[in-house]
């Protein structure tokens, strides 16, 4: 792993003004697009996984063009871990909440007892909420997979 | 020969996936390099994904996103939309395959750190010594 | 070893192709897979969930239990990678 | 507390605790133990109440999200799955309390990662037991697999390589299973087990159904480590961290065998499974008999206690597969009873191994000398587990083996009877060799010099070990009522114990 990193540093991969500028410009738009894909999953191809992967890709792109530390500056390891847990907790929490409110497990229409919107609207909203959870979890895990695999678990320079 | 050919033409999707599956499966059990085994696993899983997605195909079917208002008023004709269920299943399978690949790559990095090689024979030799 | 692997692969492929003998032709709208459950999804999903993207409707609601565990799968993968790669702090 | 969602709280408790352990464990390690034990105690209690409820009111089906079965995912809570639910949660509870100590010892600083994976694995196993949907089963199979890969790779030595081999074999198994499900989906258009079972008999597609059946079976056999497909199992299970091994070894194979029973009787009918293809049933019993003998023979060659136990486990898997495929009520009763008793005795032996490794740091045979004097309670429990493995009467190993042999005699399979008897004999040789080493040989000077060697394992490891040893005898003595009240109801239609 160390040897590969030495080689990569020797050839100055990613240490290029054009790439860095382009990435810096692109990243906000990629993230915006990722959010769009998550929230527009009801009406167009998309949803939690796809949007989450796009969001994760924006951080991976940062780590590729600069180095791993730069992407860690934008999102610390701790935040990332909390986001990952939060994403899964949103999903399982909503599932459990439905059961606790007297419905079946994952029966979003039971949430109607919390705020009255009508059972079918709640189904739609429930799908949206879990997609947000999925998107958060997938983004966080994709980034953490890249960090760990790219640096061999050292979390230093990366590729 | 004639019936076999027409059979192949009518079900060519299965033939394609079986060929892909065989490539992947052979790499998984026949190759001695650990990365090649992992790649074989990915090919195998891709073959399965293609297989499932091809089940959902329907001649003349459109994408499984419908016009909400028209659907609420008149309903949807099932023959005009491809079967969405295999797509859903494969979203799940893709995520599973990504996860397994990630874990396997991490384990490969650890193996490489320990043995300095990814050839199974060399690793076994080093363990034996 | 290689020959054995090749034979096993060949056998698997042949069995799989033998199994396709009973299937309907590709893209047949009258095949069982397109007739039994999926029309119900297509016809009822929009009315029952108000989501025009059928894949999202099935993923998030009808088969939400699968999706929940699929999220857990990827969470596990992230965690397993951390477990495997991070060296023990000494 | 008789809610209709109780069996799902049993599953949700470990799942949610996993995330809590991950979040809180970062802050302070002291949270982990109480959280994990609390959640699993809740699960075990809930599972017991579910079982009582099922026995009182009969099996019921539960639809996730309130969608009717072919549309939504259905959970099946019948006597068999309720029994497995209780077994899994009880074994997990016992194994966890021992793992708390050994993980703190072996993986200091990474307990929260370990226990997050561990709890998700338990949730996955509980989910597998409950599910009534063929594809959901695949997803849960992968959850248990991925957590197991991670847990095994946390071990030391060759663990990473073993884990990689397990990934390859496990993926082959899961992919085969998925292919089988795909074939069934093309034929029937549904993924719900009960619905598939209803449609299949009316179909005229012998080739495709046979292919689907073969792939489902082979996939599960790879996953459970039936003899010629077992190569990954001994390495993976014996090199895992002891805390993980003590749970994975008793539960993973047993739950997979339960899944095989589900596939054979809930998706396909017993008629199809046993009668549709002449010779298959007898052939599999023959294969299982050979597998028992080969695996037992391989166990003789091992020089490490945990490796020896894993080979015995491979032989036990063949016991149960053979028992189910005997195709008569007695054999299936024996197999189901053996799932329960084998889970308990494997747990007992692995917990004893964990206690020994905690004190002496090694399980090589030449380091076991004089253990009876140093760890009398641990070795007493180990002896009970060993007797049960051999099949000595008051322990449950005897009764399940008795039913298996009786079933084999009724079905006219003398080769299976012979294999069972020979394997029991080999087990006796294996365990008496260890007992002889540990009881009669004086402690070697090598281990005497070590500071850690004195005394028993801590109470947190000792009490689950003793409980599992007591459970072995209790299940043995209570096997009559167990069969009469639970297993009889859990039999597939048309079979009686």
């Amino acid at each position: 792993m160390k040897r590969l990193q030495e080689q990569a540093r020797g050839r100055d991969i990613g240490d290029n003004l054009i790439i860095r500028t382009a990435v810096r410009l692109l990243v906000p738009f990629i993230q915006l697009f990722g959010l769009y894909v998550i929230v527009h999953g009801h009406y167009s191809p998309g949803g939690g996984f796809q949007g989450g992967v796009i969001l994760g890709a924006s951080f991976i792109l940062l780590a590729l063009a600069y180095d791993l530390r730069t992407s860690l500056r934008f999102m610390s390891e701790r935040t990332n871990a909390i986001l990952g847990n939060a994403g899964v907790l949103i999903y399982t929490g909503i599932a459990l909440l439905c059961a606790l409110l007297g419905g079946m497990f994952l029966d979003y229409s039971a949430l109607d007892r919390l705020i009255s919107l009508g059972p079918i609207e709640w189904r739609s909203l429930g799908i949206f909420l879990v997609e947000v959870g999925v998107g958060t979890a997938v983004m966080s895990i994709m980034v953490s997979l890249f960090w760990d695999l790219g640096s061999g678990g050292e979390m230093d320079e990366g590729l | 020969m004639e019936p076999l050919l027409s059979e192949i033409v009518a079900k060519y999707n299965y033939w394609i996936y079986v060929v892909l599956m065989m490539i992947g499966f052979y790499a998984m059990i026949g190759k001695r390099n650990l990365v090649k085994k992992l790649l074989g696993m990915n090919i195998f899983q891709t073959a399965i994904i293609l297989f499932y997605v091809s089940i959902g195909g329907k001649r003349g079917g459109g994408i499984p996103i419908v016009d909400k208002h028209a659907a609420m008023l008149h309903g949807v004709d099932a023959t005009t939309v491809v079967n969405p269920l295999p797509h859903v299943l494969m979203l799940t399978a893709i995520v599973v395959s990504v996860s397994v690949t990630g874990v396997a790559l991490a384990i490969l990095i650890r193996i490489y750190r320990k043995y300095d090689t990814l050839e199974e024979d060399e690793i076994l030799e080093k363990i034996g010594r | 070893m290689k020959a054995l692997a090749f034979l096993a692969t060949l056998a698997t492929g042949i069995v799989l192709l033998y199994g396709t003998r009973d299937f309907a032709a590709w893209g047949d709208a009258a095949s069982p897979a397109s007739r039994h459950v999926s029309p119900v999804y297509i016809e009822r999903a929009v009315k029952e969930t108000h989501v025009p993207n059928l894949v999202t409707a099935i993923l998030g609601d009808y088969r939400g239990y699968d999706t929940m565990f699929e999220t857990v799968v990827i969470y596990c993968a992230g965690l397993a990678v951390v477990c495997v790669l991070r060296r023990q702090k000494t | 507390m008789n809610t209709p969602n109780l069996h799902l709280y049993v599953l949700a408790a470990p799942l949610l605790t996993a995330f809590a352990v991950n979040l809180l464990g970062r802050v302070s390690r002291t949270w982990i133990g109480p959280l994990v034990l609390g959640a699993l105690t809740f699960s075990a209690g809930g599972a017991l109440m579910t079982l009582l409820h099922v026995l009182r009111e009969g099996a019921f089906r539960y639809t996730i999200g309130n969608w009717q079965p072919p549309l939504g995912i259905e959970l099946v809570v019948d006597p068999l799955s309720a029994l497995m639910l209780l077994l899994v949660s009880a074994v997990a509870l016992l194994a966890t309390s021992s793992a708390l100590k050994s993980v703190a010892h072996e993986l200091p600083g990474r307990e929260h990662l370990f226990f997050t994976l561990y709890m998700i694995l338990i949730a996955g196993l509980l989910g597998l037991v409950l599910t009534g949907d063929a594809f959901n089963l695949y997803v849960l199979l992968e959850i248990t697999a991925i957590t197991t890969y991670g847990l095994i790779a946390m071990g030391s030595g060759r663990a990473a390589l073993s884990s990689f081999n397990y990934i390859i074999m496990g993926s082959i198994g899961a992919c085969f299973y998925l292919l089988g499900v795909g074939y069934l989906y093309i034929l029937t258009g549904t993924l719900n087990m009960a619905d598939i079972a209803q449609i299949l008999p009316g179909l005229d597609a012998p080739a495709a159904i046979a292919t689907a059946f073969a792939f489902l079976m082979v996939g599960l056999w790879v996953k459970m480590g039936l003899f010629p497909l077992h190569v990954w199992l001994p390495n993976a299970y014996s090199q895992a961290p002891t805390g993980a091994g003590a749970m994975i070894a008793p539960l993973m194979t047993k739950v997979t065998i339960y899944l095989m029973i589900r596939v054979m009787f809930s998706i396909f009918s017993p008629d199809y499974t046993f009668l549709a293809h002449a010779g298959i049933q007898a052939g599999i019993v023959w294969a299982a008999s050979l597998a028992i003998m080969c695996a037992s023979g391989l166990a003789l060659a091992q020089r490490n206690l945990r490796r020896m136990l894993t080979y015995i486990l491979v032989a036990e898997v063949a016991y149960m597969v053979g028992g189910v495929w005997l195709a008569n009520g007695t054999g299936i009763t024996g197999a189901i009873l053996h799932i329960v008793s084998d889970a308990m005795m494997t747990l007992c032996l692995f917990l004893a191994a964990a206690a020994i490794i905690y004190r002496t740091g090694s399980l090589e045979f030449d380091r076991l000398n004089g253990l009876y004097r140093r760890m009398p309670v641990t070795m007493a429990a180990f002896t009970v587990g060993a007797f049960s493995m051999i099949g000595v009467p008051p322990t449950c190993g005897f009764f399940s083996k008795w039913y298996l042999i009786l079933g084999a005699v009724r079905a006219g399979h003398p080769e299976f009877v012979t294999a069972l008897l020979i394997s029991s004999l080999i087990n006796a040789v294996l365990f008496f060799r260890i007992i002889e080493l540990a009881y009669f040989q004086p402690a070697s000077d090598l281990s005497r010099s070590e500071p850690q060697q004195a005394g028993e394992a801590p109470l947190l490891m000792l009490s689950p070990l003793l409980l599992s040893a007591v459970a072995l005898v209790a299940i043995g003595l209570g096997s009559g009522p167990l069969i009469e009240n639970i297993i009889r109801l859990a039999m597939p239609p048309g079979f009686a114990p």
Side-chain angles (χ1 to χ4, degrees):
Chain A
M1 193 48 64
K2 274 273 172 279
R3 212 173 64 223
L4 287 177
Q5 284 173 8
E6 289 303 329
Q7 276 174 10
R9 216 165 291 139
R11 273 182 286 145
D12 280 347
I13 290 178
D15 200 15
N16 183 318
L17 186 67
I18 298 175
I19 292 179
R20 290 194 166 185
T21 317
V23 165
R24 176 160 278 183
L25 282 174
L26 268 176
V27 162
F29 290 103
I30 295 176
Q31 288 176 342
L32 199 63
F33 182 62
L35 286 175
Y36 165 80
V37 169
I38 293 180
V39 297
H40 213 253
H42 280 30
Y43 299 94
S44 61
F49 291 107
Q50 299 87 327
V53 170
I54 294 173
L55 276 178
S58 70
F59 287 98
I60 293 175
L61 193 61
L62 265 181
L64 278 175
Y66 293 78
D67 60 3
L68 214 151
R69 287 214 186 87
T70 316
S71 70
L72 274 171
R73 231 183 30 239
F74 283 91
M75 182 157 65
S76 73
E77 208 191 329
R78 198 183 166 76
T79 324
N80 193 36
I82 290 175
L83 276 179
N85 276 301
V88 192
L89 265 176
I90 289 175
Y91 207 137
T92 44
I94 288 178
L96 196 66
L97 192 64
C98 299
L100 288 175
L101 284 174
M104 300 275 205
F105 204 66
L106 270 173
D107 182 1
Y108 306 128
S109 54
L111 295 171
D112 198 34
R113 274 160 233 177
L114 215 59
I115 301 166
S116 189
L117 284 180
I120 297 182
E121 278 313 309
W122 258 115
R123 284 203 178 274
S124 176
L125 194 59
I127 294 174
F128 173 72
L129 288 177
V130 300
E131 292 276 17
V132 170
V134 171
T136 320
V138 169
M139 173 195 76
S140 139
I141 301 298
M142 282 300 153
V143 174
S144 109
L145 278 183
F146 178 81
W147 282 346
D148 277 311
L149 292 177
S151 67
E154 312 271 332
M155 303 299 264
D156 47 7
E157 293 284 308
L159 289 175
Chain B
M1 205 58 208
E2 193 66 21
L4 183 67
L5 263 179
S6 67
E7 175 94 357
I8 293 176
V9 170
K11 297 174 190 172
Y12 67 95
N13 58 328
Y14 300 126
W15 288 78
I16 293 172
Y17 110 80
V18 166
V19 169
L20 257 181
M21 192 281 307
M22 282 165 72
I23 295 171
F25 191 45
Y26 178 74
M28 276 171 102
I29 56 176
K31 292 286 176 191
R32 305 296 290 169
N33 183 307
L34 299 183
V35 178
K36 283 183 184 166
K37 284 189 177 199
L38 183 61
L39 287 176
M41 189 179 93
N42 273 317
I43 297 173
F44 196 146
Q45 278 163 340
T46 311
I48 294 182
I49 290 166
L50 287 177
F51 166 57
Y52 266 82
V53 170
S54 77
I55 300 173
K58 217 182 265 182
R59 271 184 211 289
I63 57 168
I65 299 175
V66 294
D67 184 345
K68 187 172 175 182
H69 293 288
M72 295 291 279
L73 285 177
H74 317 293
V76 191
D77 180 9
T79 52
T80 60
V81 177
V82 297
N83 184 354
L85 188 55
H87 300 222
V88 175
L89 304 181
M90 282 311 104
L91 267 176
T92 310
I94 289 169
V95 171
V96 167
S97 127
V98 167
S99 313
V100 176
T101 311
V103 177
L105 279 174
I107 289 172
L108 282 184
I109 289 179
R110 244 201 46 193
I111 292 175
Y112 187 77
R113 233 190 240 161
K114 193 169 163 82
Y115 302 107
D116 255 331
T117 171
L118 287 173
E119 295 291 335
E120 204 175 10
D121 299 329
E122 292 175 26
I123 294 175
L124 290 178
E125 204 177 290
K126 283 192 181 175
I127 290 174
R129 250 189 297 131
Chain C
M1 187 64 207
K2 296 232 158 170
L4 199 68
F6 185 71
L7 282 179
T9 312
L10 210 61
T12 317
I14 289 171
V15 171
L16 281 173
L17 280 177
Y18 166 73
T20 64
R21 219 175 51 161
D22 298 328
F23 292 162
W26 180 71
D28 186 358
S31 67
S34 310
R35 253 182 337 176
H36 181 45
V37 176
S38 78
V40 187
Y41 282 132
I42 296 171
E43 280 154 16
R44 297 204 338 222
V46 182
K47 281 187 189 133
E48 289 179 339
T49 63
H50 284 190
V51 176
N53 184 347
L54 303 177
V55 174
T56 304
I58 299 174
L59 190 79
D61 202 348
Y62 292 96
R63 298 191 72 87
Y65 192 58
D66 268 358
T67 314
M68 183 177 100
F69 281 112
E70 163 190 9
T71 319
V72 176
V73 165
I74 196 158
Y75 175 83
C76 288
L79 217 65
V81 169
V82 174
C83 285
V84 171
L85 278 182
R86 298 283 165 87
R87 278 176 218 214
Q88 238 151 308
K89 283 172 201 138
T90 43
Chain D
M1 210 177 112
N2 193 10
T3 74
N5 291 324
L6 185 61
H7 55 285
L8 269 168
Y9 297 145
V10 170
L11 186 154
L15 193 59
L16 286 169
T17 316
F19 310 132
V21 165
N22 193 309
L23 286 172
L24 292 175
R26 280 164 207 276
V27 185
S28 152
R29 311 260 176 261
T30 46
W31 283 96
I32 296 176
L35 263 178
V36 168
L37 286 180
L40 287 175
T41 314
F42 173 81
S43 280
L48 184 62
M49 297 201 13
T50 310
L51 179 62
L52 293 177
H53 178 81
V54 168
L55 291 181
R56 210 169 43 239
E57 320 218 333
F60 63 95
R61 285 158 184 274
Y62 181 94
T63 48
I64 301 273
N66 210 4
W67 294 113
Q68 282 319 299
L71 290 185
I73 291 172
E74 185 187 40
L75 303 186
V76 179
V77 190
D78 57 10
L80 184 56
S81 60
L83 177 68
M84 288 300 292
L85 201 66
L86 180 60
L87 181 71
V88 171
S89 51
V91 169
L93 178 62
L94 292 180
T96 306
S97 85
S98 162
L100 280 170
K101 269 282 172 221
S102 60
V103 171
H105 182 65
E106 282 172 31
L107 304 164
R110 297 199 286 174
E111 292 105 319
H112 64 287
L113 295 174
F114 179 91
F115 277 105
T116 312
L117 284 181
Y118 195 82
M119 294 303 271
I120 295 177
L121 171 58
I122 295 170
L125 289 170
L126 291 171
L128 272 179
V129 167
L130 286 174
T131 188
D133 187 278
F135 189 80
N136 189 237
L137 202 155
Y138 164 77
V139 178
L140 286 159
L141 213 54
E142 284 291 351
I143 284 200
T144 53
I146 286 187
T147 44
T148 318
Y149 304 150
L151 288 174
I152 288 173
M154 284 174 97
S156 52
R158 289 176 53 186
L161 187 62
S162 314
S163 181
F164 187 79
N165 282 331
Y166 181 23
I167 289 186
I168 294 296
M169 289 308 281
S171 298
I172 291 179
C175 287
F176 272 32
Y177 178 83
L178 193 55
L179 281 174
V181 172
Y183 274 55
L184 285 181
Y185 179 68
I186 297 180
L187 288 173
T188 61
T190 173
L191 292 162
N192 183 285
M193 286 187 189
D195 206 20
I196 295 177
Q198 215 173 21
I199 296 175
L200 271 187
L203 286 176
D204 177 33
I209 296 178
T211 311
F213 185 69
F215 273 81
L216 291 178
M217 280 293 131
V218 174
L220 290 176
W221 286 340
V222 174
K223 279 267 179 195
M224 72 175 76
L226 189 63
F227 171 68
L229 309 169
H230 74 287
V231 205
W232 56 271
L233 192 146
N235 281 333
Y237 285 8
S238 63
Q239 279 148 15
T242 33
M247 188 179 71
I248 297 170
L251 288 183
M252 281 294 277
T253 48
K254 305 305 163 304
V255 170
T256 322
I257 288 164
Y258 162 81
L259 293 178
M260 185 186 80
I261 296 178
R262 265 257 173 279
V263 168
M264 283 166 68
F265 301 131
S266 293
I267 295 184
F268 298 89
S269 63
D271 282 347
Y272 180 82
T273 307
F274 296 134
L275 302 178
H277 306 285
I280 292 283
Q281 181 257 334
I284 288 174
V285 175
W286 265 102
S289 314
L290 279 178
I292 292 171
M293 298 218 240
C294 296
S296 295
L298 283 172
L300 271 176
Q302 304 308 317
R303 300 291 304 158
N304 177 304
L305 178 58
R306 243 188 346 155
R307 271 190 85 75
M308 184 193 95
L309 291 179
T310 54
Y311 275 100
I312 295 180
L313 190 65
V314 174
E316 301 280 326
V317 166
Y319 280 26
M320 286 168 266
V321 173
V324 174
W325 279 90
L326 283 175
N328 65 14
T330 322
I332 297 172
T333 310
I336 295 174
L337 188 61
H338 205 71
I339 289 180
V340 177
S341 53
D342 190 43
M344 287 321 271
M345 52 207 194
T346 318
L347 174 73
C348 179
L349 291 172
F350 269 82
L351 285 182
I356 296 172
I357 221 172
Y358 185 79
R359 274 300 175 219
T360 65
S362 165
L363 286 171
E364 300 301 322
F365 282 173
D366 44 10
R367 303 287 298 275
L368 299 176
N369 294 352
L371 266 186
Y372 271 91
R373 222 144 307 144
R374 284 188 275 147
M375 309 175 77
V377 185
T378 308
M379 288 312 287
F382 178 84
T383 315
V384 176
F387 279 180
S388 183
M389 229 16 143
I390 299 166
V392 179
T395 55
C396 57
F398 168 75
F399 292 96
S400 48
K401 235 176 233 184
W402 174 254
Y403 274 95
L404 286 175
I405 291 176
L406 212 60
V409 171
R410 283 200 192 145
H413 281 288
E415 75 280 0
F416 195 61
V417 180
T418 325
L420 282 176
L421 292 177
I422 290 180
S423 151
S424 302
L425 217 62
I426 293 179
N427 280 357
V429 172
L430 286 169
F431 283 112
F432 277 114
R433 193 167 57 170
I434 291 174
I435 291 171
E436 193 258 349
L437 275 176
Y439 192 80
F440 293 107
Q441 300 286 334
S444 56
D445 294 329
L446 192 75
S447 51
R448 194 172 289 156
S449 57
E450 284 175 22
Q452 256 206 335
Q453 49 108 2
E456 277 291 348
L459 194 64
L460 207 54
M461 297 183 90
L462 215 52
S463 46
L465 176 59
L466 285 178
L467 271 177
S468 65
V470 170
L472 283 180
V473 180
I475 294 174
L477 295 177
S479 61
L482 185 67
I483 290 171
E484 197 50 42
N485 294 323
I486 303 176
I487 296 180
R488 190 172 53 81
L489 303 173
M491 300 295 276
F495 288 93

